[in-house]
Amino acid sequence: MRVFVLAYGTRGDVQPMVALAAALRAAGHEPLLAAPASFAALAEPHGVPFAGLDEGILRLWSAPEMHETAGHGKGGLASMRAYAGYVREMKPALRRLLAGAWGAAESSGAEMLVHSPVAIAGPHLAERLGVPSVIAALDPLYVPTREFANPLMLAPSWLPAALNRLTHVAFVRGQLRLAGLGVDRWRVETLGLPRRRGRHDPLRQPDGRPTHVLNQVSRHVLAPPADWPSTVHTTGYWYLPAPPDYAPPPALADFLAAGEPPVYVGFGSVVGYDPAGMGQLVLEALDRAGARAVIATGWGGIAPGTELPACVLAIDQAPHDWLLPRMSTVVHHAGGTTWTAVAAGRPQVVCPSIGDQPFWARRMHALGVAPAPIPAAKLTAASLAAAILAARGDSIIRDRAADLGDRIRAETGAATAVAALEKIHAER
């Protein structure tokens, strides 16, 4: 089976898709992964064929002015002018991205196309190729349910069940409107496809049949809602293991061997817009908590500086499946680290910022593996230190985290997803 796998976003969006492609390859299939070009190095050690996509949109969205004005309504006149400039640059960046995605898809010889929801070109490319599309949902964002509100809609927890379902419908409709703004012309002029009704609905195939959805979540973290259709497959997480020959840098290996298991602190790129200030806050919190720590600076969310105490080591990054089980506590922002933290079986401290992060932060607390989350906007050295001490010192949290980790590690998420794709292909 030849499968075109289309992903876009930051590492938390792309890494599970690399894992899925690797699992397809291990099962004897022929995947081609198309993702932002900088992730070629992530795919290469696992033998995953790779096609690099333009990263212009990622660079634009990573600009502080984009976040400050679009996400927080602030940033001053200069930021607002810069934001307007970035919006103008989005159109040519989108054109480059769509052109690259079509070029890769056309050369793939695919019999099936699997795409993440943010990769809006996916259903159109599948229609042009005449193959089924499958959504690879890293979050339960698309399929309506009465059991919980859409994680991106920031709905209150007391919302009635009937309205929970409407939040999912509203989200999908909003996405459809956004998709139409930049894709319709490309769809007609490049792909030669008609402007048919429902063309931007990822949950429906061109013939009206429902689209299958691979829900990359563990049922032990979020049980599949009873009102989800049989076309939703909850598989468990898609973990990308460290390369077999991985060896930690000597500084990291020496630091881990020199004392008790440290605290891990990593906030990706979106916890705030003052990495240096966040670095100083984290250092003060660790000092208050009397904790050894490894701080991950990759993606720029934390910049702790170069003058660090002996009990703190800063690294760019390390494979989470290797690193996190060696930590005492995992401090993170409820992005992609969440899935590796639960598998590591370690207590968590969660400091969510945007998007679906508050949803997963509340879920970790509800599962009993983390104290109450601290929103990034309200984070202080004192509150972070108190949460670290609570997570490390509470035997109930430690036991629950260990138990959840055992159950998560028993799952075979990527292999389960491949089996679902094989069945979908056989039933065509």
Side-chain angles (χ1 to χ4, degrees):
M1 182 170 62
R2 294 184 300 276
V3 184
F4 184 60
V5 182
L6 180 63
Y8 204 75
T10 62
R11 182 165 184 149
D13 300 298
V14 176
Q15 182 164 312
M17 302 295 273
V18 177
L20 177 62
L24 281 163
R25 187 170 178 271
H29 303 297
E30 300 176 42
L32 172 64
L33 172 66
S38 61
F39 290 106
L42 187 63
E44 191 275 333
H46 302 277
V48 172
F50 185 85
L53 300 177
D54 185 84
E55 298 188 299
I57 289 179
L58 284 183
R59 288 193 294 270
L60 291 170
W61 274 112
S62 67
E65 293 87 353
M66 287 289 285
H67 290 286
E68 289 172 354
T69 55
H72 296 273
K74 61 181 182 179
L77 183 59
S79 290
M80 293 182 69
R81 286 174 176 166
Y83 173 76
Y86 292 136
V87 171
R88 287 193 297 271
E89 293 180 42
M90 278 290 179
K91 288 186 178 180
L94 179 60
R95 286 195 294 269
R96 294 192 302 271
L97 174 60
L98 293 175
W102 169 233
E106 189 177 25
S107 68
S108 68
E111 302 166 83
M112 177 179 291
L113 190 150
V114 180
H115 68 97
S116 55
V118 73
I120 58 175
H124 308 285
L125 294 173
E127 184 178 353
R128 176 63 179 82
L129 295 173
V131 302
S133 63
V134 177
I135 295 175
L138 307 185
D139 290 304
L141 300 177
Y142 274 76
V143 184
T145 178
R146 294 169 55 90
E147 295 189 16
F148 54 82
N150 187 287
L152 285 179
M153 295 297 283
L154 301 179
S157 58
W158 47 261
L159 204 68
L163 295 183
N164 279 339
R165 189 174 181 86
L166 287 179
T167 65
H168 295 272
V169 174
F171 174 76
V172 171
R173 287 180 178 172
Q175 291 293 99
L176 300 188
R177 285 194 293 271
L178 288 174
L181 295 177
V183 172
D184 266 338
R185 183 173 179 177
W186 166 78
R187 175 183 164 89
V188 173
E189 295 182 357
T190 300
L191 301 185
L193 295 173
R195 295 171 64 94
R196 63 173 179 80
R197 183 182 178 88
R199 61 193 178 276
H200 296 299
D201 185 354
L203 292 175
R204 288 288 166 186
Q205 298 292 292
D207 62 5
R209 287 183 296 175
T211 296
H212 285 267
V213 177
L214 302 177
N215 185 34
Q216 191 254 179
V217 176
S218 169
R219 62 187 61 248
H220 301 302
V221 170
L222 187 70
D227 56 353
W228 270 355
S230 61
T231 48
V232 180
H233 311 269
T234 298
T235 65
Y237 300 117
W238 307 340
Y239 291 113
L240 187 68
D245 59 350
Y246 174 76
L252 176 57
D254 292 345
F255 183 81
L256 294 177
E260 63 181 11
V263 173
Y264 170 89
V265 185
F267 287 147
S269 61
V270 294
V271 73
Y273 311 110
D274 180 13
M278 182 58 68
Q280 292 307 304
L281 184 154
V282 167
L283 290 176
E284 182 181 343
L286 293 170
D287 182 61
R288 287 173 178 241
R292 301 178 75 236
V294 172
I295 299 177
T297 63
W299 288 96
I302 309 175
T306 56
E307 298 296 327
L308 300 178
C311 60
V312 175
L313 177 70
I315 63 172
D316 177 53
Q317 61 184 3
H320 280 179
D321 67 311
W322 183 92
L323 181 64
L324 298 191
R326 292 167 166 81
M327 302 293 106
S328 66
T329 308
V330 180
V331 181
H332 62 96
H333 60 301
T337 308
T338 309
W339 325 137
T340 46
V342 293
R346 295 294 180 262
Q348 302 175 38
V349 173
V350 193
C351 309
S353 179
I354 61 172
D356 60 339
Q357 294 170 12
F359 177 89
W360 294 114
R362 292 192 300 269
R363 192 72 197 127
M364 294 300 104
H365 180 52
L367 289 168
V369 302
I374 311 170
K378 299 181 179 179
L379 191 64
T380 66
S383 63
L384 180 56
I388 291 171
L389 289 170
R392 295 173 70 198
D394 190 323
S395 61
I396 295 177
I397 291 179
R398 290 200 307 271
D399 290 346
R400 286 177 176 170
D403 176 68
L404 180 60
D406 289 341
R407 286 180 283 155
I408 295 293
R409 291 192 299 276
E411 295 180 320
T412 56
T416 301
V418 170
L421 293 174
E422 291 170 340
K423 184 176 181 181
I424 294 166
H425 178 69
E427 293 175 350
R428 281 191 63 199

